[in-house]
PDB file of all heavy atoms in Angstrom:
ATOM      1  N   GLU A 390       7.169  79.097-135.217  1.00 93.00           N
ATOM      2  CA  GLU A 390       8.306  79.802-135.902  1.00 93.00           C
ATOM      3  C   GLU A 390       8.779  79.214-137.117  1.00 93.00           C
ATOM      4  O   GLU A 390       9.321  79.842-138.006  1.00 93.00           O
ATOM      5  CB  GLU A 390       9.445  80.038-134.840  1.00 93.00           C
ATOM      6  CG  GLU A 390       8.996  81.095-133.755  1.00 93.00           C
ATOM      7  CD  GLU A 390      10.127  81.430-132.820  1.00 93.00           C
ATOM      8  OE1 GLU A 390      11.153  80.690-132.870  1.00 93.00           O
ATOM      9  OE2 GLU A 390       9.907  82.364-132.072  1.00 93.00           O
ATOM     10  N   ARG A 394      13.099  70.826-137.120  1.00 80.00           N
ATOM     11  CA  ARG A 394      14.403  70.464-137.713  1.00 80.00           C
ATOM     12  C   ARG A 394      14.350  69.004-137.922  1.00 80.00           C
ATOM     13  O   ARG A 394      15.087  68.402-138.778  1.00 80.00           O
ATOM     14  CB  ARG A 394      15.527  70.812-136.804  1.00 80.00           C
ATOM     15  CG  ARG A 394      16.049  72.155-137.179  1.00 80.00           C
ATOM     16  CD  ARG A 394      17.438  72.439-136.410  1.00 80.00           C
ATOM     17  NE  ARG A 394      17.273  73.114-135.225  1.00 80.00           N
ATOM     18  CZ  ARG A 394      18.142  73.427-134.263  1.00 80.00           C
ATOM     19  NH1 ARG A 394      19.353  73.030-134.589  1.00 80.00           N
ATOM     20  NH2 ARG A 394      17.921  74.009-133.193  1.00 80.00           N
ATOM     21  N   LEU A 400       5.998  71.042-136.885  1.00 95.00           N
ATOM     22  CA  LEU A 400       6.285  72.550-136.687  1.00 95.00           C
ATOM     23  C   LEU A 400       7.011  72.655-135.428  1.00 95.00           C
ATOM     24  O   LEU A 400       6.937  71.836-134.528  1.00 95.00           O
ATOM     25  CB  LEU A 400       4.939  73.292-136.708  1.00 95.00           C
ATOM     26  CG  LEU A 400       4.049  73.223-137.898  1.00 95.00           C
ATOM     27  CD1 LEU A 400       2.755  73.867-137.666  1.00 95.00           C
ATOM     28  CD2 LEU A 400       4.755  73.711-139.073  1.00 95.00           C
ATOM     29  N   ALA A 401       7.787  73.836-135.288  1.00 95.00           N
ATOM     30  CA  ALA A 401       8.371  74.059-134.077  1.00 95.00           C
ATOM     31  C   ALA A 401       8.005  75.493-133.653  1.00 95.00           C
ATOM     32  O   ALA A 401       7.975  76.360-134.523  1.00 95.00           O
ATOM     33  CB  ALA A 401       9.974  74.008-134.268  1.00 95.00           C
ATOM     34  N   GLY A 402       7.801  75.635-132.398  1.00 95.00           N
ATOM     35  CA  GLY A 402       7.250  76.927-131.821  1.00 95.00           C
ATOM     36  C   GLY A 402       8.007  77.092-130.495  1.00 95.00           C
ATOM     37  O   GLY A 402       8.709  76.264-130.056  1.00 95.00           O
ATOM     38  N   ARG A 403       7.790  78.299-129.874  1.00 93.00           N
ATOM     39  CA  ARG A 403       8.450  78.497-128.536  1.00 93.00           C
ATOM     40  C   ARG A 403       7.299  78.814-127.583  1.00 93.00           C
ATOM     41  O   ARG A 403       6.349  79.664-127.909  1.00 93.00           O
ATOM     42  CB  ARG A 403       9.420  79.581-128.547  1.00 93.00           C
ATOM     43  CG  ARG A 403      10.780  78.989-128.618  1.00 93.00           C
ATOM     44  CD  ARG A 403      11.919  79.900-128.539  1.00 93.00           C
ATOM     45  NE  ARG A 403      11.654  81.072-129.416  1.00 93.00           N
ATOM     46  CZ  ARG A 403      12.039  82.321-129.060  1.00 93.00           C
ATOM     47  NH1 ARG A 403      12.544  82.635-127.909  1.00 93.00           N
ATOM     48  NH2 ARG A 403      11.766  83.351-129.901  1.00 93.00           N
ATOM     49  N   THR A 404       7.410  78.250-126.419  1.00 94.00           N
ATOM     50  CA  THR A 404       6.388  78.591-125.392  1.00 94.00           C
ATOM     51  C   THR A 404       6.839  79.906-124.737  1.00 94.00           C
ATOM     52  O   THR A 404       7.874  80.422-124.905  1.00 94.00           O
ATOM     53  CB  THR A 404       6.465  77.527-124.267  1.00 94.00           C
ATOM     54  OG1 THR A 404       7.807  77.443-123.807  1.00 94.00           O
ATOM     55  CG2 THR A 404       6.041  76.106-124.827  1.00 94.00           C
ATOM     56  N   ASN A 406       7.699  80.418-121.799  1.00 91.00           N
ATOM     57  CA  ASN A 406       8.986  80.216-120.956  1.00 91.00           C
ATOM     58  C   ASN A 406      10.179  79.869-121.828  1.00 91.00           C
ATOM     59  O   ASN A 406      11.215  79.296-121.333  1.00 91.00           O
ATOM     60  CB  ASN A 406       8.821  79.441-119.734  1.00 91.00           C
ATOM     61  CG  ASN A 406       8.510  77.953-120.183  1.00 91.00           C
ATOM     62  OD1 ASN A 406       8.333  77.586-121.271  1.00 91.00           O
ATOM     63  ND2 ASN A 406       8.398  77.050-119.136  1.00 91.00           N
ATOM     64  N   ASN A 407      10.133  80.056-123.120  1.00 91.00           N
ATOM     65  CA  ASN A 407      11.194  79.981-124.112  1.00 91.00           C
ATOM     66  C   ASN A 407      11.700  78.544-124.353  1.00 91.00           C
ATOM     67  O   ASN A 407      12.777  78.232-124.775  1.00 91.00           O
ATOM     68  CB  ASN A 407      12.449  80.712-123.498  1.00 91.00           C
ATOM     69  CG  ASN A 407      13.174  81.387-124.578  1.00 91.00           C
ATOM     70  OD1 ASN A 407      12.615  81.693-125.642  1.00 91.00           O
ATOM     71  ND2 ASN A 407      14.472  81.690-124.386  1.00 91.00           N
ATOM     72  N   ARG A 408      10.838  77.534-124.225  1.00 93.00           N
ATOM     73  CA  ARG A 408      11.205  76.211-124.585  1.00 93.00           C
ATOM     74  C   ARG A 408      10.557  75.895-126.000  1.00 93.00           C
ATOM     75  O   ARG A 408       9.530  76.270-126.251  1.00 93.00           O
ATOM     76  CB  ARG A 408      10.550  75.169-123.561  1.00 93.00           C
ATOM     77  CG  ARG A 408      11.491  74.939-122.320  1.00 93.00           C
ATOM     78  CD  ARG A 408      10.809  74.083-121.405  1.00 93.00           C
ATOM     79  NE  ARG A 408      11.680  73.546-120.400  1.00 93.00           N
ATOM     80  CZ  ARG A 408      12.377  74.205-119.427  1.00 93.00           C
ATOM     81  NH1 ARG A 408      12.319  75.552-119.435  1.00 93.00           N
ATOM     82  NH2 ARG A 408      13.079  73.563-118.553  1.00 93.00           N
ATOM     83  N   VAL A 409      11.470  75.144-126.722  1.00 94.00           N
ATOM     84  CA  VAL A 409      10.949  74.750-128.102  1.00 94.00           C
ATOM     85  C   VAL A 409       9.956  73.641-127.954  1.00 94.00           C
ATOM     86  O   VAL A 409      10.225  72.682-127.205  1.00 94.00           O
ATOM     87  CB  VAL A 409      12.188  74.308-129.055  1.00 94.00           C
ATOM     88  CG1 VAL A 409      11.698  73.816-130.302  1.00 94.00           C
ATOM     89  CG2 VAL A 409      13.092  75.489-129.145  1.00 94.00           C
ATOM     90  N   VAL A 410       8.854  73.622-128.648  1.00 96.00           N
ATOM     91  CA  VAL A 410       7.928  72.620-128.743  1.00 96.00           C
ATOM     92  C   VAL A 410       7.693  72.196-130.177  1.00 96.00           C
ATOM     93  O   VAL A 410       7.465  72.950-130.961  1.00 96.00           O
ATOM     94  CB  VAL A 410       6.598  72.959-127.928  1.00 96.00           C
ATOM     95  CG1 VAL A 410       6.084  74.253-128.301  1.00 96.00           C
ATOM     96  CG2 VAL A 410       5.580  71.886-128.095  1.00 96.00           C
ATOM     97  N   ASN A 411       7.765  70.886-130.412  1.00 95.00           N
ATOM     98  CA  ASN A 411       7.532  70.281-131.639  1.00 95.00           C
ATOM     99  C   ASN A 411       6.236  69.628-131.655  1.00 95.00           C
ATOM    100  O   ASN A 411       5.786  68.896-130.708  1.00 95.00           O
ATOM    101  CB  ASN A 411       8.600  69.224-132.048  1.00 95.00           C
ATOM    102  CG  ASN A 411       9.888  69.919-132.235  1.00 95.00           C
ATOM    103  OD1 ASN A 411      10.108  70.897-132.961  1.00 95.00           O
ATOM    104  ND2 ASN A 411      10.954  69.177-131.660  1.00 95.00           N
ATOM    105  N   HIS A 433      15.309  70.845-123.042  1.00 83.00           N
ATOM    106  CA  HIS A 433      15.013  72.172-123.820  1.00 83.00           C
ATOM    107  C   HIS A 433      13.891  72.037-124.786  1.00 83.00           C
ATOM    108  O   HIS A 433      13.389  72.902-125.230  1.00 83.00           O
ATOM    109  CB  HIS A 433      16.302  72.616-124.513  1.00 83.00           C
ATOM    110  CG  HIS A 433      17.361  72.932-123.621  1.00 83.00           C
ATOM    111  ND1 HIS A 433      17.426  74.003-122.743  1.00 83.00           N
ATOM    112  CD2 HIS A 433      18.524  72.264-123.343  1.00 83.00           C
ATOM    113  CE1 HIS A 433      18.442  73.965-121.980  1.00 83.00           C
ATOM    114  NE2 HIS A 433      19.273  72.989-122.409  1.00 83.00           N
ATOM    115  N   THR A 434      13.526  70.723-125.169  1.00 91.00           N
ATOM    116  CA  THR A 434      12.627  70.644-126.203  1.00 91.00           C
ATOM    117  C   THR A 434      11.361  69.716-125.688  1.00 91.00           C
ATOM    118  O   THR A 434      11.590  68.655-125.102  1.00 91.00           O
ATOM    119  CB  THR A 434      13.214  69.758-127.369  1.00 91.00           C
ATOM    120  OG1 THR A 434      14.479  70.336-127.542  1.00 91.00           O
ATOM    121  CG2 THR A 434      12.384  69.880-128.671  1.00 91.00           C
ATOM    122  N   LEU A 435      10.246  70.231-126.027  1.00 95.00           N
ATOM    123  CA  LEU A 435       8.979  69.543-125.642  1.00 95.00           C
ATOM    124  C   LEU A 435       8.275  68.934-126.827  1.00 95.00           C
ATOM    125  O   LEU A 435       8.518  69.375-127.899  1.00 95.00           O
ATOM    126  CB  LEU A 435       7.966  70.623-124.996  1.00 95.00           C
ATOM    127  CG  LEU A 435       8.580  71.418-123.837  1.00 95.00           C
ATOM    128  CD1 LEU A 435       7.592  72.578-123.590  1.00 95.00           C
ATOM    129  CD2 LEU A 435       8.829  70.630-122.595  1.00 95.00           C
ATOM    130  N   ARG A 436       7.407  67.936-126.638  1.00 95.00           N
ATOM    131  CA  ARG A 436       6.587  67.371-127.704  1.00 95.00           C
ATOM    132  C   ARG A 436       5.188  67.748-127.215  1.00 95.00           C
ATOM    133  O   ARG A 436       4.803  67.670-126.065  1.00 95.00           O
ATOM    134  CB  ARG A 436       6.642  65.836-127.605  1.00 95.00           C
ATOM    135  CG  ARG A 436       7.885  65.314-128.278  1.00 95.00           C
ATOM    136  CD  ARG A 436       7.509  64.120-129.110  1.00 95.00           C
ATOM    137  NE  ARG A 436       6.462  64.309-130.050  1.00 95.00           N
ATOM    138  CZ  ARG A 436       6.662  64.910-131.159  1.00 95.00           C
ATOM    139  NH1 ARG A 436       7.847  65.276-131.624  1.00 95.00           N
ATOM    140  NH2 ARG A 436       5.667  65.121-132.096  1.00 95.00           N
TER     141      ARG A 436
END
Side-chain angles (χ1 to χ4, degrees):
E390 290 185 350
R394 267 194 268 176
L400 301 174
R403 257 179 323 138
T404 58
N406 65 357
N407 218 23
R408 275 174 163 64
V409 173
V410 49
N411 292 317
H433 299 291
T434 318
L435 307 168
R436 283 217 56 79

